[in-house]
Amino acid sequence: GVRHTWRTNERSLIVHSSGQWRTQLRDATEKWRVIESWRGELSPSAMAEWKAAVTSAGELDEYVAGNEPTGSFEIEDLEGIEKAWFDASDVPAPLKPLGALVERWVGELARWNDAGTSTALLRVRRA
């Protein structure tokens, strides 16, 4: 399968080509400390949105930016890893659809409760 990893500041979202996802928020000063961790599956429509956003990103090495990037996006498969670094406060246009999805889904998790439902995030649980 293929693993996609989006990182901005202390937040990461990993989406596998199978539709499974995991997100973590780490402490800003103690990077080893995980403050929040969730996992689940993407709905078929959410997975289709994700794949379209990945396709629109194009070749990742085109987006290497700045001396101190605060964000990254990587695609890992059997052939290796492609990675783009960027300023999280100024996401390059081709990566904005990915950033928008991450923002939307992380926003849903911020409001999540045990009775929560989502059209995009399925089988949500704290990891």
Side-chain angles (χ1 to χ4, degrees), residues 1-4 14-20 47 50-51 76:
V2 180
R3 186 172 76 172
H4 305 103
I14 298 170
V15 176
H16 190 268
S17 56
S18 67
Q20 293 186 34
M47 193 64 197
W50 181 260
K51 286 179 180 176
E76 182 177 1

Side-chain angles (χ1 to χ4, degrees), residues 7-76:
R7 286 189 182 89
T8 50
N9 302 309
E10 286 73 41
R11 169 72 64 187
S12 66
L13 174 72
I14 298 170
V15 176
H16 190 268
S17 56
S18 67
Q20 293 186 34
W21 59 267
R22 179 180 69 202
T23 184
Q24 290 187 329
L25 178 63
R26 295 186 177 274
D27 186 282
T29 54
E30 299 174 9
K31 301 285 185 196
W32 55 268
R33 189 169 154 248
V34 176
I35 297 171
E36 177 185 283
S37 185
W38 296 89
R39 64 180 48 234
E41 295 175 26
L42 291 178
S43 69
S45 62
M47 193 64 197
E49 281 185 275
W50 181 260
K51 286 179 180 176
V54 169
T55 299
S56 75
E59 291 293 321
L60 296 188
D61 57 354
E62 295 175 16
Y63 311 121
V64 175
N67 292 333
E68 302 217 11
T70 53
S72 66
F73 177 63
E74 67 183 44
I75 300 172
E76 182 177 1

